[in-house]
Amino acid sequence: MSVKIDRPAEVGEYDEPLQALLQLVWGDGFLSPGGPEEIARILEGTDLRGRRVLDIGCGLGAVDVQLVEPHGAAHVTGIDLEPDLVEKARARARRAGFAERIDTRQVTPGPLPFADARFDVVFSKDSIVQIPDKRAIFCEAHRVLRAGGELLVSDWLRGGEGAYSPEMLEYFRLEGITYNMASADETRAALAEAGFIDISVHDRSDWYRELARQELAAMSGPWLPTLIETLGRERADHFVTNWRQLVLVLDRGELRPTHLRARKPGA
Ligand SMILES: C[S@@+](CC[C@H](N)C(=O)[O-])C[C@H]1O[C@@H](n2cnc3c(N)ncnc32)[C@H](O)[C@@H]1O
């Protein structure tokens, strides 16, 4: 079920204040939690050295820099819907000295603009949650992977099914970005329908529930003066309320950060 937030078409979902807030909480260039450590966890057991990687929903691009250094990907293609994010991700890759190894592209929703079997690994960090048709995006991921290639994803899944609770709807309203959440069962089924095998689903809720609580304590305590200075009082207060709601839906088990792994059959 999709929840879309109405805003003028020319304004991206990740406006400057939201980018600033998320980077204050999650680190420079990150629009999702956990930083380098969480990326290393998603990659555990997979050697990226010499591999061509597609990153779906690259955001500000800190993830792509990590995939190259320290993880050693030969080449990363980062794609995102928002031109502002893509431009900033491209600048970040250039500043890191990886202009030749990271290609950042704006895409539109729908089929991926790449030939079949072009990548060894498809990676994504907390972005599939925004994409409405899970089967379609996993079919596209499968198509652009070479035989035997791997899908390594962190995603924000939902607990339960049917109508969202009032608490979740309030969280979406406060957050102000589009959510299209699927459950673990729906995600597993979509991966299998797309042709993936060796599917594993690993719930990371315990980790993020605890971290989000610490983030909320910091936002409403020691970080508050910086939030107010950066964003103004009104927006700073809004984001503290937003995080309180995030902690609530994590506690209720309705929002479940999860790692997914799967493989395309073949060599
Ligand atoms: C929560 S952010 C995560 C960004 C980045 N992966 C990170 O961890 O910092 C989700 C990103 O997915 C992007 N996104 C949403 N729908 C997308 C789609 N259909 N194709 C590509 N990117 C998409 C958003 O614009 C946003 O940058």
Side-chain angles (χ1 to χ4, degrees), residues 14 30-32 57-59 63 80-81 85 125-127 130-131:
Y14 293 82
F30 290 102
L31 299 180
S32 69
C58 64
V63 170
D80 205 285
L81 300 182
L85 299 180
K125 177 89 169 61
D126 305 337
S127 303
Q130 296 206 251
I131 300 178

Side-chain angles (χ1 to χ4, degrees), residues 16 22 25 34 40 64 72 105 113 124 132 136 140 144 148 150 152 171 176 197 203 219 221 227 229 243-244:
E16 293 283 351
L22 296 180
V25 179
D64 296 346
R105 289 206 207 172
S124 183
E140 278 296 282
V144 301
E150 285 179 284
L152 304 173
Y171 168 68
I197 59 170
D203 194 316
M219 285 167 74
L227 290 184
E229 194 187 326
W243 237 255
R244 197 165 291 120

Side-chain angles (χ1 to χ4, degrees), residues 14-137:
Y14 293 82
D15 63 10
E16 293 283 351
L18 183 56
Q19 288 177 35
L21 179 274
L22 296 180
Q23 292 183 91
L24 280 170
V25 179
W26 289 333
D28 183 34
F30 290 102
L31 299 180
S32 69
E37 272 181 37
E38 189 62 1
I39 293 168
R41 269 183 179 270
I42 299 166
L43 295 175
E44 234 163 51
T46 297
D47 186 356
L48 284 193
R49 284 175 298 176
R51 305 282 187 86
R52 296 157 301 166
V53 182
L54 172 66
D55 177 22
I56 300 175
C58 64
L60 290 165
V63 170
D64 296 346
V65 171
Q66 283 286 310
L67 297 177
V68 169
E69 182 65 51
H71 294 288
H75 190 271
V76 176
T77 303
I79 57 169
D80 205 285
L81 300 182
E82 300 209 7
D84 172 46
L85 299 180
V86 167
E87 195 42 57
K88 287 174 176 162
R90 187 171 296 134
R92 176 174 298 275
R94 211 180 304 126
R95 284 198 305 278
F98 296 139
E100 305 295 316
R101 287 171 70 187
I102 300 177
D103 176 23
T104 311
R105 289 206 207 172
Q106 188 196 353
V107 296
T108 49
L112 298 174
F114 305 109
D116 296 357
R118 178 139 156 17
F119 298 100
D120 301 302
V121 172
V122 172
F123 182 93
S124 183
K125 177 89 169 61
D126 305 337
S127 303
I128 307 282
V129 61
Q130 296 206 251
I131 300 178
D133 189 338
K134 309 301 175 191
R135 186 174 179 278
I137 188 66

Side-chain angles (χ1 to χ4, degrees), residues 227-244:
L227 290 184
I228 293 170
E229 194 187 326
T230 312
L231 306 164
R233 177 95 225 184
E234 198 181 329
R235 203 81 200 252
D237 286 345
H238 172 93
F239 283 126
V240 173
T241 308
N242 183 173
W243 237 255
R244 197 165 291 120

